[in-house]
Amino acid sequence: MRTNAQGGDLAVSLRRATVNDRRQIYRWMAQSDATAEMLGLPTFPDCPVPTWEEFSDDFSIEEFFQPGPPADNTKDWGECWIIGVQNHNGDSVAEVGQINFSDEREDDDPASAGLAELDIWIGARKWWGLGIGAQAIDALANILRRYGFTTLMIRPSARNKRAVAAYKRAGFVEQSNHGGTLPAWVYDPADWDYLDSLVLVRQL
């Protein structure tokens, strides 16, 4: 299954990731020239670069590489997609990163209704600033609507000013815990990847 979005000079498509993509996804995150902008020293000592084993535990086959909602309605479900780009002539295809979501709906927490959490990374700086991330988010939003989600959340570090600005251009709005429209755990530092995580929300 593929889904597409267009805008700017490049067209973006999403391809559902398979288990065979896991090594490349890890390299984009942990072993690329983009890594220092997301993880590890010197900017992010609170979020070190994971080992392959740590990545494999967190980016589990069961959660991210099984297509579609689980038949038994179990939680810890999400999907991972590979981001591809090509020019509008249909050539120069490249796979440049990944985008994934986790289902954060809980039956016993009305504040979580319709909530999915997003993570995205483009695995080389040469692909930054071209609108690829925004198009990928738009394409994922179309998938999430079909699954019944209504709210998309991402929690980046405030130190990652480039990414925060890009998310806001893509329609995300910063939300404080005074709004009361998201589950309380969203604002709990114990649940954050970064000590200074921001809560950004986009309605679908």
Side-chain angles (χ1 to χ4, degrees), residues 75-173:
K75 299 307 177 185
D76 294 328
W77 168 69
E79 287 180 347
C80 178
W81 298 77
I82 303 299
I83 303 168
V85 297
Q86 62 187 83
N87 64 31
H88 288 298
N89 293 324
D91 51 20
S92 301
V93 176
E95 293 188 333
V96 302
Q98 76 82 43
I99 187 168
N100 71 74
F101 73 88
S102 296
D103 183 353
E104 301 298 350
R105 299 172 293 188
E106 293 289 346
D107 292 339
D108 60 353
D109 186 352
S112 72
L115 180 63
E117 184 160 17
L118 165 74
D119 206 351
I120 179 174
W121 54 86
I122 308 298
R125 295 186 188 190
K126 68 180 182 180
W127 297 111
W128 292 357
L130 301 175
I132 293 169
Q135 290 185 65
I137 291 169
D138 284 346
L140 181 66
N142 290 333
I143 296 167
L144 292 173
R145 290 187 194 99
R146 293 198 295 269
Y147 285 148
F149 291 99
T150 58
T151 304
L152 185 56
M153 172 183 71
I154 191 165
R155 293 183 289 176
S157 167
R159 283 161 285 172
N160 195 342
K161 298 183 185 301
R162 179 199 60 81
V164 171
Y167 296 139
K168 289 182 177 180
R169 288 194 299 272
F172 284 83
V173 176

Side-chain angles (χ1 to χ4, degrees), residues 1-5 12-15 81 138-140 142-143 146:
M1 177 181 177
R2 283 182 179 270
T3 186
N4 297 279
V12 168
S13 64
L14 300 186
R15 171 181 65 79
W81 298 77
D138 284 346
L140 181 66
N142 290 333
I143 296 167
R146 293 198 295 269

